[in-house]
Amino acid sequence: MLAKLTTRPALRRTALTSAVGLALLAAGLPAAAAGDGPDLTRFYRQKVAWSRCVGPDLPRDLECGKVTVPLDYARPGAGTLDLALARYRATGSRRGSVLLNFGGPGGPGVAGLAASGKQFMGLTNAYDVVSFDPRGVGRSSPVSCGTGSGGAAPGVGADQDLNDPAAVLRRLRASAEHCARRSGPVLAHIGTVNASRDLDVTRQALGDRKLNYLGFSYGTRLGSVYAAQFPGRVGRLVLDGVDTLTEPMAEQGIAGAQGQQRALDDFVDWCVRDVGCPLGGDARAARAQVTRLVGSLDRNPVPTSLGSGLTGQDLVAAIGQALYSEQLWPSLERALASLVQDGDTGGVLGFAPGRAPSSGHPKRPGGLVDEDDVPLDNLPAALTAINCADDPDRPDAARLTAELPRLRAAFEQASPVFGRSRLAEVLMCYGRAKGTDYIREDVHDVDTPKMLLVGTRGDPATPYRWTTETARRLGSSAVVLDNKGEGHTGYSSSKCVHSAVDGFLLYGTLPPSGSSCGPEDPEAPTG
């Protein structure tokens, strides 16, 4: 576990060091820069140089920049990383910045802000709206395992693979070693504890004394860790689609599989009412057809225009993305129709990042890569790397071999479609270094201003109970807004949630404790 930055003064200092320390603290720099730990002064003194983003489909008013952070905060002289930033400038009276994290883990913030910036234009009345590619993600030293679209863990694709646990574990260890070679030095320093420290450097580089923040899904884990590491620098902080801070990865995976299966069942119920549904007109038969289709593609992948085969686990990943929003259901229906009726994979691939595999690492280690050079598998590779870095559990081969049949049964019971991919995410930590125990042990009872937590009752990825559990863990600072809706997170799908979040970030107004949003009152929280 990396040591936290601290504001505790050193016991013995010369008068000169004390004067320098006071000056740095007055400027908002961490005490570590004043002599309590590794010298981070040069990172905290930088300013972001903004310019228009370069790219064929990027909005004209989106600006891009970068911030430089240490590769290893314990040894800041051992190398650096550049993190990609993007912003929409404030149009009203600027009060600073609000930083966004779109989740994943592994979701690139620059691309996310470019694609969904219109949702956040109300915040530009007071803030620059900023997002970023965290370390190992997107253009910021992207990790990769070189596995194409990254659908499933090696040896966990077809049914017969799990019948030989020893062979599965050998392939998993070999995969972990391959990921380490492909990803470079950032892989050993990835994870939320370091990403939170990067967030604080970014806050200072933007010129903000406090962090104003809106995090979605995994972004809520990042926001919670920041609140624990830097409680005195928390401004207005919102967590939407709240992640767990305590559950082991296996329990998280089962909960996620159950949520995705419920969302798939809802999609199927909707689809079969349409005469054009490629799954037929009977919901039970349609669900069985999806399961058979996944198994068939795992055994015999369909060729794609990218030169690789579309496997069942690739289809599972695409369906999972489409189920995050009801607005994507018609597109998913058309994509499945093209696949089932014509063997056309284009629609399904449309739910995956449209990038070509990377030809290698950037010329300058730690520098930003071009958008076209972000590896195709960066999102799943980063998701695995970050989750493993955040999880301290590392069962040995004997324990995993003994538990694999039980785990397989539990995941397949949770979801015959998504269970296999969720189990793969858990198994992928085998062969990797043990993760930090900081999140489970130290992120609780944070001493910060009030923060807003939004939980959605029908969320397929982050169950509502995680919102209430995390709120209790964070302590009296947490205020919960109960969104009685569907879909993953509430800000983009509920006018009520959107209004409450913007009201807090812009004006500091929090909904009363126990408030809820629902279809019966779409405009404002109810007490």
Side-chain angles (χ1 to χ4, degrees):
M1 182 179 69
L2 296 175
K4 293 191 295 183
L5 294 174
T6 176
T7 56
R8 184 178 58 188
L11 295 178
R12 298 177 63 187
R13 292 181 181 171
T14 64
L16 177 60
T17 303
S18 297
V20 171
L22 290 173
L24 291 172
L25 290 171
L29 300 180
D36 281 358
D39 186 2
L40 303 175
T41 304
R42 68 186 179 104
F43 299 102
Y44 276 87
R45 280 183 170 168
Q46 66 186 302
K47 299 296 179 185
V48 181
W50 296 101
S51 61
R52 180 180 168 184
C53 295
V54 178
D57 300 316
L58 295 177
R60 293 181 60 87
D61 55 344
L62 187 68
E63 296 182 331
C64 285
K66 69 177 182 179
V67 65
T68 301
V69 298
L71 173 66
D72 182 353
Y73 276 89
R75 297 186 304 131
T80 62
L81 301 171
D82 289 339
L83 306 182
L85 306 178
R87 76 169 178 181
Y88 289 104
R89 297 184 66 178
T91 57
S93 179
R94 183 184 182 277
R95 298 204 303 266
S97 308
V98 58
L99 274 80
L100 311 181
N101 180 280
F102 294 103
V110 172
L113 188 59
S116 60
K118 289 183 179 179
Q119 297 181 31
F120 307 99
M121 287 300 101
L123 296 174
T124 61
N125 290 332
Y127 296 108
D128 291 343
V129 176
V130 181
S131 194
F132 55 99
D133 292 355
R135 57 173 61 205
V137 174
R139 298 182 61 209
S140 303
S141 301
V143 296
S144 171
C145 295
T147 53
S149 60
V156 196
D159 289 340
Q160 62 268 24
D161 292 328
L162 289 174
N163 295 328
D164 187 355
V168 169
L169 295 183
R170 284 195 300 271
R171 287 194 288 269
L172 287 169
R173 183 176 291 280
S175 174
E177 294 171 353
H178 184 66
C179 293
R181 291 193 297 271
R182 290 273 305 183
S183 298
V186 68
L187 189 66
H189 303 284
I190 206 167
T192 305
V193 171
N194 276 332
S196 171
R197 304 180 86 168
D198 294 343
L199 196 58
D200 196 56
V201 172
T202 303
R203 169 200 61 77
Q204 181 69 23
L206 294 172
D208 296 334
R209 294 187 63 83
K210 302 282 186 178
L211 176 72
N212 301 306
Y213 177 82
L214 172 54
F216 299 97
S217 193
Y218 161 78
T220 69
R221 189 196 310 171
L222 177 58
S224 298
V225 171
Y226 186 90
Q229 284 187 313
F230 305 100
R233 299 173 201 155
V234 171
R236 295 172 184 172
L237 190 146
V238 180
L239 311 178
D240 183 3
V242 183
D243 200 358
T244 179
L245 300 176
T246 58
E247 288 192 359
M249 284 188 66
E251 294 180 24
Q252 294 180 45
I254 289 173
Q258 291 170 335
Q260 287 180 300
Q261 186 64 47
R262 284 193 298 270
L264 177 60
D265 291 345
D266 290 342
F267 164 76
V268 168
D269 290 341
W270 170 86
C271 185
V272 297
R273 293 195 293 269
D274 180 1
V275 67
C277 180
L279 304 174
D282 179 79
R284 179 176 295 181
R287 293 185 185 99
Q289 184 177 349
V290 174
T291 303
R292 288 195 301 271
L293 180 60
V294 170
S296 174
L297 289 172
D298 274 333
R299 292 187 294 273
N300 299 292
V302 175
T304 73
S305 60
L306 297 177
S308 58
L310 179 81
T311 69
Q313 298 309 305
D314 295 330
L315 176 61
V316 167
I319 293 173
Q321 288 296 312
L323 294 178
Y324 273 179
S325 171
E326 289 185 74
Q327 297 174 358
L328 296 176
W329 287 5
S331 297
L332 176 60
E333 181 185 20
R334 291 191 294 270
L336 290 174
S338 296
L339 178 65
V340 172
Q341 297 167 3
D342 305 320
D344 182 357
T345 62
V348 170
L349 292 175
F351 291 106
R355 305 184 181 107
S358 174
S359 58
H361 299 299
K363 294 181 180 179
R364 181 172 70 84
L368 298 180
V369 304
D370 292 336
E371 184 69 23
D372 290 342
D373 289 330
V374 177
L376 185 66
D377 74 320
N378 175 240
L379 195 156
L383 182 147
T384 297
I386 294 167
N387 280 339
C388 294
D390 289 354
D391 187 86
D393 297 331
R394 288 296 184 276
D396 59 20
R399 181 179 165 190
L400 264 182
T401 299
E403 291 186 351
L404 195 54
R406 178 188 64 80
L407 285 172
R408 177 182 183 182
F411 275 85
E412 291 183 347
Q413 181 179 6
S415 171
V417 173
F418 298 99
R420 186 62 48 80
S421 64
R422 288 289 188 166
L423 176 57
E425 292 174 7
V426 174
L427 295 178
M428 281 294 284
C429 289
Y430 180 77
R432 295 175 183 246
K434 180 180 178 181
T436 180
D437 56 6
Y438 176 84
I439 298 173
R440 286 192 197 171
E441 293 190 359
D442 293 340
V443 183
H444 59 82
D445 299 314
V446 296
D447 184 15
T448 68
K450 295 290 185 182
M451 61 183 74
L452 179 61
L453 279 61
V454 180
T456 298
R457 292 284 178 164
D459 197 315
T462 50
Y464 180 78
R465 65 178 175 84
W466 285 356
T467 301
T468 56
E469 290 171 359
T470 298
R472 286 194 296 270
R473 184 170 179 81
L474 293 177
S476 59
S477 297
V479 175
V480 172
L481 177 61
D482 180 357
N483 178 33
K484 300 181 186 298
E486 302 294 330
H488 184 39
T489 73
Y491 188 80
S492 63
S493 59
S494 166
K495 292 181 180 179
C496 173
V497 171
H498 198 287
S499 175
V501 170
D502 281 8
F504 175 55
L505 290 172
L506 290 170
Y507 311 114
T509 56
L510 277 167
S513 178
S515 294
S516 65
C517 286
E520 71 283 355
D521 186 5
E523 298 299 333
T526 60

